[in-house]
Amino acid sequence: MAQRVAVSDGAAGSRRTSRVRVAVRLRPYMEPQDEKQEGPCVRGLGPQKLEIVNWRNATETLQYQFDVFHGEQSTQQEVFLTSVKPILPHILHGQNASVFAYGPTGAGKTHTMLGSQEQPGVITRAVKEVFRLVEFQKKDLDGWEYSVGMSYLEIYNEKVLDLLSPGSQDLPIREDKDRNILIPGLTLTPLSSFTDFDTHFIPASLNRTTASTKLNQRSSRSHAILLIKVVKSQRGPPHRQQTGKLYLVDLAGSEDNRRTGNQGIRLKESGAINLSLFTLSKVVDALNTGAGGRVPYRDSKLTRLLQDSLGGSAHSVMITNIAPEYKYYFDTFSALNFAAKSKQIVNRPFVRETVLAPTITTVKRTGEEQEAGGSGE
Ligand code: ADP
Ligand code: MG
């Protein structure tokens, strides 16, 4: 899957499947150095590239290229500004958008999406920005009224659960005649401000994280999905209405659970997680290679739910989180192969030194980014 070639937005647009932008974020090295003095096995090479040890051949290094690479020094603010902020205005114009955090457990998905009080992540920043954009539009007195609402749900074992209504049952996913995806019965809480959002979101997200330690690290096995919906209604006739949806998703861990020896119920959970993540990888692959084949949205709950907000006319970003320690090596390797636009084998051993990635400014995707490793169109 690594030999993926970018399809330009124009070409993809004419096929009505828009590319998913792929960013990779490397978190800082955290494991105390062991006796073997292994150090990190991944390092950044610039605003779009990184390299990783080649486990098959220590005299070689593998280099990967993405739309954006966020190095270990990157801040929450940089990740938001580069990878998320640019897609937000679309949801005020009746278009959909989605942001996912992908990667193995421990690599920084929740840090990226949720963050902490001191280092707020994508969710806080995106919701604030949506309210800022709405306020700005309101001042314009353009004849439209805006309302913002939120839903918060979880997909666990292929069941859709409402996190704003604890104890609710598996909810159905439907499609209306205009191909919009809906979940009848899902709580949609109206929001008048960011503070309002915080009031509803914090207890629900705490519920989920506290429960997780009791339930076999449930948070690493389920997909947490926050939906921000902006409805724009015309004040006068013909009273048109437009709805824009923004999905902010903290995905289940991408680690291969077969290797960790899970059995019984855990194994069943792994299977279900793998189904949703595996299907997501097939969907992203189908969208990004623009092969024109069927996009298998219906094969899992996650992709079915996101069908109207991933590909098509939607704006999507996948932030692949990776960790530099050796114990994550194989999970990092498979996450990179999923995320990469191109991969190249370089004939020299991995160099154990840090490169400070230059501060990311605007990163443009161009046609000539392909490295030797990429296949042709
Ligand atoms: P995941 O959700 O993918 O399992 P977490 O977000 O919980 O991973 O991250 C694992 C640990 O690493 C947490 O203690 C988190 O605070 C820390 N961490 C992750 N990313 C970063 C980062 N970019 N900078 C500093 N600490 C980080
Ligand atoms: Mg997490």
Side-chain angles (χ1 to χ4, degrees), residues 171-239:
L171 296 168
I173 303 175
R174 301 262 156 76
E175 185 175 344
D176 73 8
K177 62 177 181 4
D178 299 319
R179 319 212 97 189
N180 297 308
I181 303 292
L182 344 149
I183 303 180
L186 179 68
T187 309
L188 179 71
T189 305
L191 301 175
S192 55
S193 64
F194 174 77
T195 321
D196 213 9
F197 164 77
D198 238 17
T199 313
H200 292 96
F201 180 69
I202 289 180
S205 75
L206 281 179
N207 260 345
R208 182 173 179 271
T209 28
T210 352
S212 73
T213 48
K214 293 183 200 131
L215 290 169
N216 297 331
Q217 287 85 47
R218 178 171 177 150
S219 79
S220 72
R221 295 166 174 278
S222 69
H223 311 285
I225 304 168
L226 172 66
L227 167 62
I228 301 294
K229 207 167 173 176
V230 178
V231 180
K232 182 176 167 182
S233 319
Q234 216 172 11
R235 288 207 184 85
H239 299 285

Side-chain angles (χ1 to χ4, degrees), residues 105-106 108-111 208 219-220 250-251:
T105 300
K109 296 182 296 297
T110 304
H111 178 77
R208 182 173 179 271
S219 79
S220 72
D250 186 347
L251 292 168

Side-chain angles (χ1 to χ4, degrees), residues 288-306:
N288 282 11
T289 51
R294 182 182 85 101
V295 182
Y297 289 110
R298 286 170 175 267
D299 294 1
S300 78
K301 290 285 172 74
L302 177 71
T303 49
R304 178 64 171 151
L305 176 70
L306 293 166

Side-chain angles (χ1 to χ4, degrees), residues 1-5 63-65 341-346 369-376:
M1 264 196 297
Q3 312 287 311
R4 182 171 303 137
V5 172
Q63 295 190 347
Y64 290 84
Q65 174 148 346
K341 266 167 48 167
S342 69
K343 174 173 156 186
Q344 189 181 20
I345 296 174
V346 177
E369 278 167 3
Q370 261 99 248
E371 298 284 330
S375 59

Side-chain angles (χ1 to χ4, degrees), residues 306-323:
L306 293 166
Q307 181 160 359
D308 63 2
S309 305
L310 175 62
S313 59
H315 307 267
S316 331
V317 182
M318 189 178 76
I319 305 173
T320 301
N321 290 90
I322 56 168

Side-chain angles (χ1 to χ4, degrees), residues 7-243:
V7 174
S8 78
D9 284 335
S14 64
R15 273 181 240 131
R16 298 181 47 75
T17 59
S18 73
R19 250 188 112 257
V20 177
R21 268 177 75 80
V22 182
V24 167
R25 184 182 197 183
L26 172 64
R27 74 149 163 73
Y29 191 90
M30 298 195 324
E31 299 287 309
Q33 301 251 344
D34 60 359
E35 316 84 70
K36 284 188 270 171
Q37 290 281 313
E38 282 182 321
C41 64
V42 190
R43 64 174 195 146
L45 292 175
Q48 292 183 302
K49 280 174 85 169
L50 63 73
E51 67 177 11
I52 180 170
V53 168
N54 184 1
W55 63 283
R56 286 202 181 91
N57 182 344
T59 68
E60 292 173 353
T61 302
L62 301 170
Q63 295 190 347
Y64 290 84
Q65 174 148 346
F66 317 96
D67 292 311
V68 181
F69 170 66
H70 299 289
E72 56 207 302
Q73 311 284 331
S74 63
T75 62
Q76 300 282 67
Q77 158 107 337
E78 274 163 25
V79 172
F80 173 70
L81 291 180
T82 316
S83 293
V84 181
K85 193 180 178 207
I87 66 175
L88 299 179
H90 299 293
I91 65 163
L92 271 75
H93 299 108
Q95 291 181 21
N96 298 336
S98 51
V99 179
F100 308 85
Y102 179 90
T105 300
K109 296 182 296 297
T110 304
H111 178 77
T112 295
M113 297 307 291
L114 202 56
S116 58
Q117 199 79 45
E118 306 76 50
Q119 295 184 299
V122 162
I123 290 175
T124 299
R125 291 167 199 270
V127 176
K128 276 191 177 155
E129 175 65 11
V130 168
F131 277 106
R132 198 187 66 82
L133 292 168
V134 166
E135 291 310 312
F136 187 76
Q137 284 295 324
K138 280 182 178 167
K139 281 200 205 99
D140 232 27
L141 295 172
D142 58 357
W144 293 83
E145 243 166 282
Y146 293 82
S147 66
V148 182
M150 72 177 277
S151 297
Y152 188 36
L153 60 144
E154 178 180 58
I155 296 181
Y156 181 62
N157 270 340
E158 291 298 282
K159 288 197 177 71
V160 178
L161 305 169
D162 189 342
L163 291 169
L164 294 179
S165 168
S168 74
Q169 299 299 303
D170 183 17
L171 296 168
I173 303 175
R174 301 262 156 76
E175 185 175 344
D176 73 8
K177 62 177 181 4
D178 299 319
R179 319 212 97 189
N180 297 308
I181 303 292
L182 344 149
I183 303 180
L186 179 68
T187 309
L188 179 71
T189 305
L191 301 175
S192 55
S193 64
F194 174 77
T195 321
D196 213 9
F197 164 77
D198 238 17
T199 313
H200 292 96
F201 180 69
I202 289 180
S205 75
L206 281 179
N207 260 345
R208 182 173 179 271
T209 28
T210 352
S212 73
T213 48
K214 293 183 200 131
L215 290 169
N216 297 331
Q217 287 85 47
R218 178 171 177 150
S219 79
S220 72
R221 295 166 174 278
S222 69
H223 311 285
I225 304 168
L226 172 66
L227 167 62
I228 301 294
K229 207 167 173 176
V230 178
V231 180
K232 182 176 167 182
S233 319
Q234 216 172 11
R235 288 207 184 85
H239 299 285
R240 283 169 55 211
Q241 207 172 58
Q242 291 182 351
T243 301

